[in-house]
Amino acid sequence: MAKQETKPAPKKETKPALKIVPLGGLHEIGKNTCVFEYDDEILLLDAGLAFPTDGMHGVNIVLPDATYLRENRHKIKGMIVTHGHEDHIGGIAFHLKQFDIPVIYGPRLAMAMLEGKLEEAGVRELTKINTVMPRDIVRIGKSFVIEYMRNTHSMADSFSVAIFSPLGVVIHTGDFKFDHTPVDGEHFDLQRLAEHGEKGVLCLMSDSTNSEVPGFTPSERSVYPNLERVFRQAEGRLFVTTFASSVHRINMILQLAQKYNRTVSVVGRSMLNLIAHARNLGYVKCDDNLLKPLHMVRNLPDEDVLILTTGSQGEHMAALSRIARKEHPHIKIREGDTVVFSANPIPGNTIAVVNTIDKLMMQGAK
Ligand SMILES: [Zn+2]
């Protein structure tokens, strides 16, 4: 019997799969961290932290489980950052102590804040930081090319990205809201987003707080008239608290202070830091003499003073919380003060915020 020749089956040219592994940030607020893996290369997108919820006693910050990254550290080629919120950059300093991230690309404002964080943590030398501008294209490893597209968000200098992988384009929107009248005049690059859509996209990753709620979020600009009403009506000292990172909101508050002749003292380190960076980059505009340290505004008449402070979420150690507990060394609330919370409580913070408001009111604040 003739022996049948057995040919080896022709090898199929199969490309590796593109793996997308979110380590945090989905169905939760905080610790946004996403892993893109192709072949033997890993690209990281953002690395944030979360703040502890009420039940986490003794916990200062919450980080995602990075075991996968530690185990695959040799694959990590670099990181792209979409914007400078803590829940997107707050984890980076901690990760750098555990594995290498050779290079990090991100917007100027986010990278300015990140540099400070890395320096403080003593890990500034462990990575290279590069800044990007709208429509910049960067390459990470052999497998990933990333295009930065301007978006609109509560934080200035924020981006969506198109990630070109060997299998196709992934659009990651980053955090965003469609704001057609942005305070800083930097519009969402919808045109570029649409171009990608027309050409065909492998995968869209889109997640934004309150995206399940039907309807539109009003433009950030719509806050202005309400804030202005408070400025018009407040007779004594005015306290305003908002997220330290809400650059647009802070910009509006400073503009109103200028218009209503109130000298501003900023209380809270995170807010001072952000305002300094944002002013350098032109995202916050105000006269130099508008901002004064606390000891200089103390002698001004009450109606000429604005205290801009952290603590809008009732955070225990934030300035406004300490003022409310009468623990702040330099500021005491008195009858006639007006305190404005210009931020909604993040789910989980409501009780802390309400407690702070109660304490402020008991001391005579409006
Ligand atoms: Zn954000």
Side-chain angles (χ1 to χ4, degrees):
M1 203 164 98
K3 213 176 167 190
Q4 221 171 10
E5 212 173 297
T6 50
K7 262 193 195 160
K11 257 198 191 153
K12 257 197 228 156
E13 272 294 324
T14 47
K15 280 188 181 171
L18 173 66
K19 294 184 201 162
I20 303 177
V21 191
L23 298 182
L26 294 188
H27 278 284
E28 62 178 352
I29 291 179
K31 57 185 185 340
N32 295 277
T33 309
C34 193
V35 179
F36 291 82
E37 183 174 351
Y38 183 82
D39 211 359
D40 57 350
E41 294 191 326
I42 283 178
L43 162 72
L44 294 171
L45 185 143
D46 292 339
L49 53 74
F51 294 103
T53 50
D54 281 340
M56 299 182 191
H57 301 293
V59 175
N60 292 327
I61 58 156
V62 183
L63 293 166
D65 182 347
T67 310
Y68 187 75
L69 294 175
R70 280 198 301 274
E71 286 170 356
N72 292 281
R73 63 178 75 197
H74 57 285
K75 296 185 179 177
I76 301 170
K77 297 295 169 208
M79 175 184 281
I80 49 175
V81 167
T82 57
H83 66 288
H85 271 150
E86 277 293 301
D87 56 337
H88 291 257
I89 64 170
I92 299 174
F94 299 92
H95 294 322
L96 279 172
K97 291 177 183 170
Q98 302 186 53
F99 46 81
D100 285 349
I101 306 169
V103 62
I104 301 175
Y105 289 91
R108 294 182 303 162
L109 185 55
M111 293 301 97
M113 292 162 68
L114 179 64
E115 269 199 71
K117 285 177 194 300
L118 299 190
E119 255 155 41
E120 211 167 283
V123 293
R124 177 64 193 87
E125 303 307 316
L126 297 183
T127 188
K128 269 208 266 330
I129 291 181
N130 291 313
T131 57
V132 294
M133 299 293 281
R135 296 208 180 179
D136 270 2
I137 289 176
V138 300
R139 171 179 284 278
I140 290 190
K142 299 187 299 288
S143 314
F144 301 105
V145 172
I146 299 97
E147 178 184 10
Y148 273 84
M149 295 173 282
R150 169 65 76 223
N151 74 17
T152 42
H153 183 33
S154 54
M155 174 104 201
D157 205 6
S158 176
F159 284 91
S160 301
V161 290
I163 301 169
F164 296 83
S165 80
L167 297 188
V169 181
V170 177
I171 301 289
H172 193 297
T173 60
D175 288 359
F176 72 99
K177 75 168 178 182
F178 288 123
D179 189 338
H180 296 295
T181 54
V183 174
D184 58 7
E186 298 214 21
H187 290 267
F188 204 131
D189 195 354
L190 291 172
Q191 187 191 345
R192 191 73 189 122
L193 209 55
E195 277 173 44
H196 284 299
E198 202 130 289
K199 284 183 197 146
V201 165
L202 177 67
C203 174
L204 168 67
M205 301 174 71
S206 175
D207 179 24
S208 196
T209 310
N210 294 331
S211 59
E212 308 92 337
V213 183
F216 293 90
T217 308
S219 169
E220 176 69 19
R221 237 175 247 270
S222 66
V223 177
Y224 191 90
N226 281 329
L227 271 176
E228 177 154 33
R229 186 171 42 80
V230 179
F231 273 81
R232 258 199 322 266
Q233 290 171 355
E235 284 166 353
R237 292 186 303 178
L238 185 55
F239 290 70
V240 184
T241 182
T242 188
F243 290 106
S245 59
S246 290
V247 181
H248 306 310
R249 190 71 55 93
I250 289 170
N251 204 16
M252 277 194 277
I253 293 163
L254 294 179
Q255 282 170 15
L256 281 164
Q258 197 132 14
K259 182 168 172 187
Y260 287 88
N261 296 317
R262 284 182 185 264
T263 302
V264 181
S265 189
V266 181
V267 183
R269 203 169 66 113
S270 52
M271 199 174 270
L272 277 164
N273 267 342
L274 182 107
I275 291 176
H277 291 312
R279 284 188 80 199
N280 276 342
L281 296 170
Y283 286 109
V284 164
K285 294 185 185 79
C286 69
D287 294 346
D288 283 337
N289 57 12
L290 183 71
L291 298 165
K292 292 265 156 64
L294 202 52
H295 68 267
M296 289 180 76
V297 300
R298 217 174 299 154
N299 303 323
L300 295 174
D302 284 357
E303 65 272 21
D304 295 343
V305 173
L306 172 81
I307 295 184
L308 182 57
T309 169
T310 53
S312 72
Q313 299 301 305
E315 307 96 312
H316 189 75
M317 288 314 290
L320 189 61
S321 311
R322 290 161 63 201
I323 294 169
R325 290 198 305 272
K326 303 186 186 173
E327 286 171 11
H328 198 281
H330 306 299
I331 307 172
K332 301 263 174 296
I333 288 292
R334 50 179 185 255
E335 200 78 36
D337 288 342
T338 301
V339 183
V340 179
F341 281 73
S342 188
N344 282 326
I346 291 175
N349 294 346
T350 311
I351 292 172
V353 172
V354 171
N355 279 339
T356 306
I357 293 174
D358 279 353
K359 290 195 184 93
L360 291 167
M361 288 182 77
M362 281 189 275
Q363 292 164 51
K366 259 208 309 207

